[in-house]
Amino acid sequence: MCIRDSDRQITADVKLFYEKITGLINYAFNPVDAYVYFDNFDDAIIRGIETQLTLRPSQQSRIHVAYAHTDISATANVQESFYSIAAPEHSLSILGIWDFANDVTGSVGFYQKSGHKLLARRFLDPLESEPSLRVDARLAKKGKFAGHDQEVALVLQNIFDETQDSRLRNFQGRRFYISYKLDLN
């Protein structure tokens, strides 16, 4: 769906999805022989909705909002299946981008996801990843250098708190850096 007038535009996209996967790998313990074996024991049905909305309040600004809801139903033929709890149920992102005078752009991004269970983990690792919230900001200036496009950017990540970005409990703290890009084409 797209709605336009001379300066403003709204674009929306909605996707419904349904996927059936059979033969997912799980393991079973054989107490007689005291060994663990892996096989294609599990099946899963993944269904949900993804939505995106992009607003252009003016020629110099745009706001992008995305939301996803995911539901996984899994069957276990040997033991408890963890596939049904292996994805965040909710995820949301909001990105605002502004074009200022003199080729300066700025953006603020907000990213949130619900907690979910972890399929692969080390012994004594927590079973569930925490819900996460992340806010990033960027300010950039474009220009020319010897006839080539260049850009200098100031980037702030995880402005309010650290986030966990993987099952290995990798925490990403607050970051600040400056980047420089020179296009030699």
Side-chain angles (χ1 to χ4, degrees):
M1 172 178 85
C2 183
I3 301 169
R4 289 184 179 203
D5 68 21
S6 62
D7 291 332
R8 295 173 180 83
Q9 179 178 334
I10 299 172
T11 306
D13 184 26
V14 177
K15 298 174 187 168
L16 299 172
F17 58 89
Y18 176 93
E19 183 175 3
K20 184 175 183 178
I21 303 172
T22 59
L24 292 167
I25 296 173
N26 203 342
Y27 67 93
F29 178 72
N30 183 337
V32 175
D33 298 329
Y35 69 90
V36 175
Y37 64 97
F38 293 85
D39 206 340
N40 302 90
F41 295 123
D42 294 349
D43 300 326
I45 295 175
I46 306 167
R47 58 183 160 258
I49 185 169
E50 294 177 356
T51 61
Q52 296 183 53
L53 178 68
T54 302
L55 307 168
R56 284 207 72 129
S58 70
Q59 289 287 356
Q60 294 78 29
S61 62
R62 56 198 172 281
I63 300 167
H64 182 78
V65 180
Y67 171 78
H69 173 80
T70 304
D71 178 57
I72 304 173
S73 302
T75 59
N77 298 318
V78 175
Q79 65 174 29
E80 180 182 3
S81 173
F82 291 104
Y83 287 104
S84 61
I85 50 178
E89 185 177 0
H90 305 281
S91 61
L92 170 69
S93 66
I94 302 170
L95 178 64
I97 303 168
W98 298 270
D99 296 323
F100 302 110
N102 300 318
D103 292 321
V104 175
T105 60
S107 65
V108 175
F110 168 88
Y111 312 96
Q112 185 174 23
K113 70 176 178 69
S114 59
H116 61 285
K117 305 296 184 191
L118 302 172
L119 286 178
R121 59 191 173 94
R122 295 177 297 199
F123 184 66
L124 296 179
D125 273 354
L127 181 60
E128 184 170 333
S129 73
E130 298 291 325
S132 69
L133 169 65
R134 177 176 169 156
V135 178
D136 297 344
R138 182 175 188 270
L139 187 63
K141 167 78 170 128
K142 293 182 180 181
K144 293 275 189 189
F145 177 75
H148 299 284
D149 292 334
Q150 68 175 348
E151 179 184 78
V152 177
L154 170 66
V155 179
L156 302 166
Q157 294 180 327
N158 291 317
I159 293 173
F160 299 114
D161 202 0
E162 65 181 13
T163 58
Q164 178 180 341
D165 62 1
S166 79
R167 72 164 183 87
L168 299 175
R169 302 191 54 74
N170 292 329
F171 287 94
Q172 184 178 19
R174 289 181 193 96
R175 292 184 183 184
F176 159 81
Y177 62 91
I178 297 173
S179 68
Y180 177 75
K181 179 174 77 171
L182 179 64
D183 187 357
L184 298 175
N185 291 330

